[in-house]
Amino acid sequence: MNSMLARVALISTMVTLLSLGAALARGDPPTVGTDAALAAAVAAHPVFGPALAYRSGASEISERRLRDAENDLARAGRGLTTGLSWRPTIGWRGGGDDAFDLEAATWSGDLTASFSWLADAQTSVRARLGVQRAASDHLERLNRDLRDALSRHIDLQRAHVALTIAQDTAATRAATLEAAERVDLDALTAAPDAPEPRTLLASRLDAERAAAAVERAARDLAAAERRAAETGFDPRLADERHRERLTPLPLEGWRLWLPDADPLASPAVARAALDVAAAEASAERVRVGGLLDDLRLEASRIEEDARVLASVGLDEGRPTAALDVSLRSAPRPSWTVELRAVLRFDDGFLRDATRAETAIADAAAAWAEAAEEAAWVLGQARFAALDAEADVAFAERGLALARLALREAIDAWRGPEGAGPHRDGDPVAAERADAALARVAVAFERERDAFYRAWNRYLLEAERYWSAAGVLGGVLAPPP
């Protein structure tokens, strides 16, 4: 019976937890009536709490890039730039054969404050494109963080399942090897130099393979624990949840948020709309700046210790304004007012204008195609996510049936015919009862693994839908 120690440990653990599992299984699943209550339930959840709080290094980088892009957009929207410059100068002058005199130096320091404003539609559109790209990248990264975190929890639980199944298989193979050795014991004792029977060699090979599988499963579990701990999960609690076989799993009943999405608000369509705006801004610059390259009205006032220069105009079709204030000496006060323009006529104007209009038409066609494609892509992504959600529901039903079968098997094992409490009375019957319960327990472990595999696919499809729709992923509490 030594070969059955692992199996007996599995059975005794389940029997010990029967009362606790039955009490927890009767508890109602958490219900949520308001958004605040949902947030509180999610924050306290042993899986979704750490998963939603997890932030990877990549998401922190994407968040910083988004802030930088938003600052660039704000600056481009204002169109205002300021500057302060100082130009110190020291020099010596002489004539003829005058000797160089270090103390005869002249010094001046010009201090200039500059203020300029430029309304550039192209720059604004480029900044909006930068924000759109950065926001999409950050959103996708956050959704990836949620999936990665939940996947690490699932990988950890599946590693526990794999180790449990491997241990049961190893116990079965060891029992088979012991039986084979008992059958061939007399022959091996009578002829110690004779080769071992083929059946005994095959049993030993299977037992060694099963033992190696246990070692590998243990290493995989250690690696999964390390990865889960990096995300914020407690490996000790994961081990306790795995042992509570009659208690509903933390993911049971919960669903991912799959809102109806507007195809026109999807990232792909938004990007195509900004491409149209960029093409229109470029065309407007060609239309105005192609003929009137520069139009400027400048006024200046020079005093003995200061100079002020102000200007307004059009720079390649872009409205501009500037003001420079300098502290510098002048021989006498003066002022100027000047209006100038640069008109350009060349054969490239019509070509550039035609290309600009063609670019607008191409961008508009691309937007229409993206809008039509987005409706189909979102529909397919949503169907895939809902199909995966249905598979999770099927897996939950299979898991509930397997849990019921396990509960019934434990009751039968504890009953008079199962010989569970009376092992010493009939060892053969006890071993048979142990084997029957172990088969049901392993079948339950396989159902748990199928449930986690369904959740992995559910996460993947949900993330694809979230990213295609341009929404931040979330969860929904289980129904009452």
Side-chain angles (χ1 to χ4, degrees):
M1 297 296 292
N2 292 333
S3 62
M4 300 298 292
L5 288 178
R7 176 173 292 174
V8 171
L10 171 64
I11 294 172
S12 62
T13 301
M14 290 187 295
V15 174
T16 302
L17 294 173
L18 176 61
S19 300
L20 175 61
L24 293 177
R26 287 193 298 268
D28 294 333
T31 58
V32 174
T34 63
D35 291 342
L38 174 59
V42 169
H45 194 271
V47 176
F48 289 118
L52 289 172
Y54 170 67
R55 289 294 179 269
S56 65
S59 66
E60 294 176 356
I61 293 174
S62 65
E63 183 179 5
R64 184 172 64 250
R65 290 175 177 173
L66 176 58
R67 289 197 301 267
D68 292 341
E70 290 173 343
N71 291 334
D72 291 341
L73 176 60
R75 183 174 181 179
R78 292 191 300 268
L80 180 66
T81 58
T82 61
L84 184 65
S85 63
W86 181 47
R87 187 174 64 182
T89 304
I90 185 171
W92 293 265
R93 289 186 179 183
D97 296 332
D98 292 345
F100 177 78
D101 186 1
L102 184 62
E103 297 180 356
T106 59
W107 182 91
S108 64
D110 296 343
L111 183 64
T112 302
S114 301
F115 307 89
S116 62
W117 172 79
L118 173 64
D120 190 349
Q122 278 187 314
T123 300
S124 297
V125 173
R126 283 196 295 267
R128 290 165 59 194
L129 280 169
V131 169
Q132 195 272 338
R133 283 193 296 265
S136 297
D137 291 343
H138 184 51
L139 185 68
E140 291 179 3
R141 187 63 256 179
L142 292 178
N143 290 334
R144 179 66 55 84
D145 284 351
L146 177 58
R147 181 172 71 86
D148 285 347
L150 291 175
S151 294
R152 293 189 186 190
H153 162 75
I154 290 174
D155 291 343
L156 176 56
Q157 298 302 134
R158 291 190 66 192
H160 277 291
V161 171
L163 179 59
T164 300
I165 294 176
Q167 288 171 340
D168 180 80
T169 302
T172 302
R173 297 291 187 270
T176 303
L177 177 59
E178 286 183 3
E181 288 176 342
R182 286 195 301 267
V183 170
D184 297 322
L185 180 61
D186 295 339
L188 293 174
T189 303
D193 296 335
E196 292 182 336
R198 181 176 57 82
T199 54
L200 181 57
L201 292 174
S203 297
R204 182 171 289 110
L205 176 60
D206 289 342
E208 291 176 357
R209 283 175 172 169
V214 171
E215 294 180 1
R216 295 169 185 174
R219 289 199 301 268
D220 293 341
L221 175 59
E225 287 178 338
R226 179 179 179 274
R227 285 177 53 81
E230 293 174 350
T231 313
F233 297 107
D234 187 349
R236 180 182 55 84
L237 294 179
D239 180 67
E240 293 177 358
R241 282 194 289 266
H242 174 69
R243 295 177 185 276
E244 295 171 357
R245 291 174 172 83
L246 299 179
T247 304
L249 302 178
L251 293 181
E252 283 188 70
W254 287 77
R255 294 295 181 265
L256 299 175
W257 184 56
L258 300 173
D260 293 329
D262 182 7
L264 298 183
S266 65
V269 178
R271 171 62 187 271
L274 288 174
D275 289 339
V276 174
E280 290 176 344
S282 178
E284 184 65 22
R285 187 168 176 178
V286 170
R287 296 189 197 104
V288 179
L291 293 176
L292 186 58
D293 187 66
D294 186 25
L295 176 64
R296 192 172 304 275
L297 174 63
E298 290 184 350
S300 65
R301 176 67 181 181
I302 300 177
E303 297 293 340
E304 292 183 357
D305 296 322
R307 176 184 177 184
V308 178
L309 174 63
S311 66
V312 294
L314 290 175
D315 181 10
E316 295 182 352
R318 301 170 299 178
T320 64
L323 175 66
D324 291 345
V325 179
S326 301
L327 299 179
R328 63 174 65 175
S329 59
R332 58 185 179 85
S334 63
W335 59 268
T336 61
V337 176
E338 183 180 55
L339 175 64
R340 66 173 183 269
V342 177
L343 300 178
R344 183 165 62 97
F345 302 94
D346 57 38
D347 56 356
F349 171 72
L350 293 179
R351 179 195 61 206
D352 294 342
T354 302
R355 289 179 177 176
E357 296 299 332
T358 302
I360 293 177
D362 292 342
W367 178 89
E369 182 178 355
E372 182 178 358
E373 181 74 7
W376 184 85
V377 169
L378 284 177
Q380 292 300 110
R382 183 171 175 79
F383 282 138
L386 292 176
D387 288 345
E389 185 176 281
D391 290 339
V392 167
F394 291 143
E396 285 178 345
R397 292 168 60 185
L399 188 59
L401 290 174
R403 188 177 289 118
L404 177 61
L406 179 60
R407 192 185 304 277
E408 293 174 349
I410 293 176
D411 291 339
W413 181 89
R414 298 178 66 179
E417 297 182 0
H422 311 289
R423 297 183 175 277
D424 297 335
D426 189 350
V428 176
E431 183 176 351
R432 189 180 299 114
D434 289 347
L437 180 55
R439 284 194 297 271
V440 178
V442 169
F444 172 75
E445 294 298 327
R446 297 190 188 280
E447 285 294 338
R448 281 211 289 194
D449 188 66
F451 171 76
Y452 285 127
R453 283 189 281 110
W455 254 95
N456 257 338
R457 178 173 174 266
Y458 186 26
L459 286 170
L460 179 61
E461 298 299 343
E463 183 202 359
R464 289 174 177 171
Y465 178 72
W466 292 334
S467 297
V471 298
L472 186 63
V475 299
L476 296 176

